[in-house]
Amino acid sequence: MDDFPRILAALGTEISTPAPIVLIDVVEENITRMQAFADAHGKAVRPHVKTHKSVRIGKMQLDAGAIGLTAGTLSEAEIFAAAGCPDILLAYPLWITGAKEGRLRRLSRATRLSVGAESAAAIERLAEVMGDAADALGIVIEVDCGARRSGVRPEDAGVLAAHATRLGLRARGVFTYPGHGGTIGARESAAADQAAALRTAVESLRAHGIEPEIVSAGSTPTAEFSTDPVITEVRPGEYVFNDWDNVRLGDSAPQNIALFLASTVVSDQGHPHVILDAGTKALAREGNPERGYGQVPSFDGYLRVLNEYHGFLELPAGGPRPVVGETVAVVPHHVCPVVNSFEELIITDRTGALLDRWPVDAQGRLN
Amino acid sequence: MDDFPRILAALGTEISTPAPIVLIDVVEENITRMQAFADAHGKAVRPHVKTHKSVRIGKMQLDAGAIGLTAGTLSEAEIFAAAGCPDILLAYPLWITGAKEGRLRRLSRATRLSVGAESAAAIERLAEVMGDAADALGIVIEVDCGARRSGVRPEDAGVLAAHATRLGLRARGVFTYPGHGGTIGARESAAADQAAALRTAVESLRAHGIEPEIVSAGSTPTAEFSTDPVITEVRPGEYVFNDWDNVRLGDSAPQNIALFLASTVVSDQGHPHVILDAGTKALAREGNPERGYGQVPSFDGYLRVLNEYHGFLELPAGGPRPVVGETVAVVPHHVCPVVNSFEELIITDRTGALLDRWPVDAQGRLN
């Protein structure tokens, strides 16, 4: 983060704010580090594309050794399949109707596709939609490990996998998401819950005569604790960019933050805050009123309030104050929805050399 | 809102969820009602396009009698100017650098353009950028009326307007935004603050020999109280669609809500909540943990937690419970960022006849 002011100075007026600035050398290091960690523990990496939504960055992950990619929506998966990704896990409890029917069938021909499922009804729907081509679709049963989001009880995974097999689908394994590891001090225990759930789920599959190929664990905050022998792969997303939450949680160092939002001070009326041109539509209101909605480390300030196009940058009394027209670096609390707010990423490096502009290929693409 | 389940039933599997559904007959009524109210009080309407970002809906507003449109970013203004809008107020304290320089000059030739300004530095920058064509750019001085966002003290408007005039720009008037009217019970008093601020600002301009053409007031929540004689125009945005916040504030009736998000139940694991396929990226985390991030009126439920692609729909104990695969209508707390999340609007009416799909022309377009 110490580099951000120097990078902004080097970029000068080449950029239109607000704009997401990506330090591609830091991205490369983050990808290398995660892959090396997983290699050392005998795990595969299947990065979640929700964070970057960029075909180019997905290719960097695959080139570094990722076995495939994870997507959250049919549209995301379509973008990465069209770009040549050979293996995609759509880690979501899909419900297929309408236009999604033809799209799922086409996608299953374009890549080696596996999708999440956690109810008999959804599995029956998937089988019905796939028809004669059911064996082209991999099913990965989602189990809950404590996030209480989607996912069946681990001991119920086998009966669903067997149901999928009976309907002609290919039951490939199980996955879970330890979302309850997203608070301070909870990463290690959530990872332990995850390992326990996955072990039970694997036993449940085996009791139904199914040997899983995929035993898949989330997430960036829990990745370093996801080393249980039962796990075959990890699905981190945020690690490519990292954000203020990752630093706060302790799974990332400040120097591993690879994306910030360049934002201009557009108003200073002498209040304890100045106004930036980054509001809800850019920063997605991630954070909360106490912690704020984005950090501005070089002024020790934070965005206390967001309107749609305005951010209230609260400044400590007596500290330095940016002037109107000055560009500042905002570190998002949660980077994923911020990237999704923009059509393109400004690609630079620690020196601030403007290298390129890359499209956010899967921007939006929510359904 | 009583119509929403029937509309969803009529749309059937024609839509891919999550998707924003627009009741265009309700939009038409909302536009007609606002225009009639303003006409009756001798005010012009200059709707803010931030809410719909749709060229077609902007044309509906102009056809109904709006004198022009309001934009929040250069990119938004470019989209509506290219579509033929003859008069645009960019109601934002613009700071122009880099690529924005050429864009501002081009935009000032494409439409009758006025922009917000509230500092001497920004006015000097605008004059410098416009060069010989400075008189093609209208300047509208922003004054603060209590939101403590951008805008000078009303008594300081005249000196800035005179500064703009001296630099060759056309000082056209003043505007303000009564953002402090966005809490329950505060609409009327915020509108009174607004009128007082605008009266002072107009006196300040006159003291500098400038007679304002534009004396511009926000917003949907305060529009019905913005009838002070000094005001020449109102800039409501949300009124075209309305949302849960507008109903809560009392500036809209439930039957005037013209947009909801169609969302599918993808998981039910017997918790007090079921999981919908609408998360942060669709609903933009507007609301708060107490009120939730979206209402589901037909089940008397609300989205208690959002992840990126998952919404936790909290249901009252003992009430009806949607089944996995069922589509439900989510009413956003704040509609503007939700529209901005999608590439297209599904256009229907109270009967649920699928009429059309319209692009969200200015989706993103943040800089």
Side-chain angles (χ1 to χ4, degrees), chain B:
Chain B
M1 299 192 304
D2 296 342
D3 298 315
F4 296 169
R6 199 177 65 247
I7 293 166
L8 281 173
L11 292 173
T13 59
E14 292 289 313
I15 53 172
S16 288
T17 65
I21 311 295
V22 171
L23 283 59
I24 202 67
D25 45 356
V26 181
V27 169
E28 185 77 52
E29 292 164 13
N30 291 343
I31 290 172
T32 302
R33 189 185 315 106
M34 180 63 77
Q35 188 69 46
F37 176 82
D39 287 349
H41 290 88
K43 309 303 177 201
V45 186
R46 187 191 290 277
H48 206 308
V49 301
K50 71 186 174 80
T51 304
H52 55 71
K53 292 196 168 224
S54 155
V55 164
R56 298 276 292 266
I57 295 177
K59 282 189 198 262
M60 287 170 65
Q61 293 169 317
L62 291 167
D63 289 346
I67 56 159
L69 297 172
T70 305
T73 69
L74 208 48
S75 308
E76 277 182 3
E78 286 167 341
I79 296 279
F80 287 86
C85 178
D87 193 303
I88 296 178
L89 170 58
L90 219 168
Y92 195 81
L94 285 190
W95 187 270
I96 300 293
T97 53
K100 287 182 180 173
E101 298 188 9
R103 290 168 58 199
L104 182 75
R105 287 193 295 265
R106 281 191 294 278
L107 185 60
S108 71
R109 292 191 293 269
T111 187
R112 187 181 196 214
L113 181 68
S114 304
V115 304
E118 50 102 71
S119 72
I123 288 168
E124 288 153 19
R125 190 84 265 276
L126 289 166
E128 192 180 345
V129 168
M130 291 301 295
D132 290 347
D135 68 340
L137 186 67
I139 299 292
V140 186
I141 303 296
E142 182 172 4
V143 300
D144 180 33
C145 66
R148 304 291 176 260
R149 193 170 75 176
S150 40
V152 292
R153 295 185 310 153
E155 52 270 41
D156 296 336
V159 68
L160 282 182
H163 192 52
T165 303
R166 215 159 29 236
L167 295 175
L169 300 158
R170 292 200 306 116
R172 296 190 64 201
V174 292
F175 79 103
T176 192
Y177 173 70
H180 57 313
T183 53
I184 288 173
R187 294 189 297 135
E188 196 162 1
S189 62
D193 293 344
Q194 171 177 256
L198 289 173
R199 281 195 302 267
T200 302
V202 166
E203 284 163 22
S204 175
L205 260 65
R206 286 184 181 147
H208 285 81
I210 297 167
E211 183 59 32
E213 313 158 51
I214 296 176
V215 182
S216 182
S219 60
T220 295
T222 54
E224 67 179 292
F225 305 115
S226 299
T227 53
D228 189 278
V230 78
I231 293 168
T232 65
E233 65 175 41
V234 291
R235 303 187 320 280
E238 292 163 358
Y239 78 104
V240 276
F241 294 142
N242 294 309
D243 55 30
W244 195 261
D245 277 349
N246 295 125
V247 170
R248 202 177 47 88
L249 288 173
D251 67 79
S252 170
Q255 64 269 25
N256 301 335
I257 293 178
L259 183 146
F260 66 82
L261 195 69
S263 180
T264 300
V265 179
V266 293
S267 174
D268 180 356
Q269 296 296 339
H271 304 307
H273 58 262
V274 297
I275 302 295
L276 302 185
D277 64 357
T280 321
K281 279 172 173 162
L283 281 163
R285 206 186 288 285
E286 294 288 79
N288 65 48
E290 285 73 45
R291 293 212 305 278
Y293 300 97
Q295 298 298 127
V296 182
S298 58
F299 288 92
D300 196 21
Y302 67 102
L303 291 168
R304 182 176 54 82
V305 171
L306 297 183
N307 292 168
E308 278 170 71
Y309 301 111
H310 301 74
F312 290 61
L313 169 57
E314 190 83 7
L315 294 162
R321 192 174 180 94
V323 298
V324 172
E326 186 167 347
T327 307
V328 300
V330 181
V331 179
H333 276 268
H334 182 196
V335 70
C336 307
V338 179
V339 171
N340 188 52
S341 300
F342 289 90
E343 290 86 39
E344 66 174 16
L345 302 170
I346 306 294
I347 304 295
T348 185
D349 60 20
R350 281 198 186 86
T351 70
L354 181 63
L355 302 174
D356 214 345
R357 293 166 192 271
W358 292 359
V360 182
D361 304 281
Q363 194 217 355
R365 309 294 174 144
L366 300 176
N367 52 36

Side-chain angles (χ1 to χ4, degrees), chain A residues 314-335:
Chain A
E314 189 85 5
L315 294 162
R321 192 174 180 92
V323 298
V324 171
E326 186 168 348
T327 306
V328 300
V330 182
V331 179
H333 276 268
H334 183 195
V335 70

